[in-house]
Amino acid sequence: LENWMPGVEIIGEGLMVTLSEKELRKWEDKNDVQDRTKGVVSIWKEEEFSHTPMPNPRFLLLHTLSHILIKEISFNCGYSAASLRERIFCTTDDSTVSMAGILIYTGSSDTEGTMGGLSEQAETPRMAQLLLKAIDKSRWCSLDPVCRENIIIDENLNLASCHGCTTISETSCEY
């Protein structure tokens, strides 16, 4: 019995979002985007966050977008935000392949992962409405201007998100 591997059947659904490489590269080259990323990278290096990829503008955008989408999707599809998960597909600095995608999915060994509400969110025009609503809600946060304007980074401020607008449960966040 040396040639067997344990396995589990996962029942679930998900939606995949990919961003335009051309538009993303234009956004990544903006000075304010580069400056904000430098602050996050310096903390990443100091704290030795080896369990996460080194942040780059693309990763920060995809990760933040994933969180605001999870929060918005949970209002529309019947799943709690804690039962949704993210998978970030992102080009790293040493990568030869361009990637810019987010998979938001749910899955379990029982039938909870088969309600159908999540995959329906990817249909036209529902996905565009969902994305616009998520971005619109993230423009204003009850904790602003703390997370937007404060440059000091400590355990409460990470220049990436705050508890009011984009932080989601540990079970949902890949990082």
Side-chain angles (χ1 to χ4, degrees):
L1 295 178
E2 292 179 24
N3 295 330
W4 71 277
M5 296 188 73
V8 128
E9 182 178 0
I10 299 295
I11 301 169
E13 60 179 323
L15 59 88
M16 182 78 182
V17 176
T18 58
L19 302 182
S20 162
E21 186 67 30
K22 179 182 172 188
E23 295 301 316
L24 192 51
R25 285 181 192 243
K26 283 196 286 189
W27 177 82
E28 288 173 319
D29 289 338
K30 291 183 177 182
N31 288 334
D32 58 336
V33 172
Q34 292 292 323
D35 291 344
R36 186 143 177 115
T37 303
K38 285 176 187 172
V40 177
V41 168
S42 68
I43 293 301
W44 182 86
K45 287 178 179 177
E46 285 176 23
E47 300 295 327
E48 298 181 26
F49 288 111
S50 59
H51 63 284
T52 64
M54 186 168 97
N56 60 30
R58 181 175 301 219
F59 175 80
L60 294 175
L61 174 68
L62 290 169
H63 194 215
T64 302
L65 183 59
S66 173
H67 284 212
I68 65 172
L69 281 174
I70 286 173
K71 289 180 95 167
E72 189 59 33
I73 286 169
S74 71
F75 290 118
N76 297 327
C77 73
Y79 291 107
S80 70
S83 68
L84 298 174
R85 290 173 174 71
E86 69 179 0
R87 180 63 45 106
I88 309 295
F89 298 91
C90 180
T91 300
T92 57
D93 292 337
D94 59 348
S95 178
T96 58
V97 177
S98 293
M99 295 184 289
I102 304 163
L103 174 65
I104 297 174
Y105 67 99
T106 188
S108 67
S109 56
D110 63 14
T111 57
E112 183 178 328
T114 61
M115 293 196 299
L118 181 56
S119 59
E120 286 179 3
Q121 300 305 306
E123 295 175 5
T124 307
R126 197 174 280 167
M127 186 64 207
Q129 294 166 344
L130 175 79
L131 186 58
L132 291 172
K133 194 179 286 187
I135 291 170
D136 190 49
K137 285 183 179 178
S138 71
R139 290 177 196 252
W140 186 86
C141 173
S142 60
L143 296 178
D144 270 346
V146 174
C147 63
R148 180 181 299 205
E149 295 176 359
N150 200 325
I151 302 303
I152 300 168
I153 303 173
D154 62 20
E155 62 189 52
N156 297 317
L157 295 170
N158 62 14
L159 281 177
S161 66
C162 76
H163 289 285
C165 49
T166 62
T167 299
I168 58 175
S169 93
E170 272 184 54
T171 59
S172 298
C173 181
E174 186 176 22
Y175 299 104

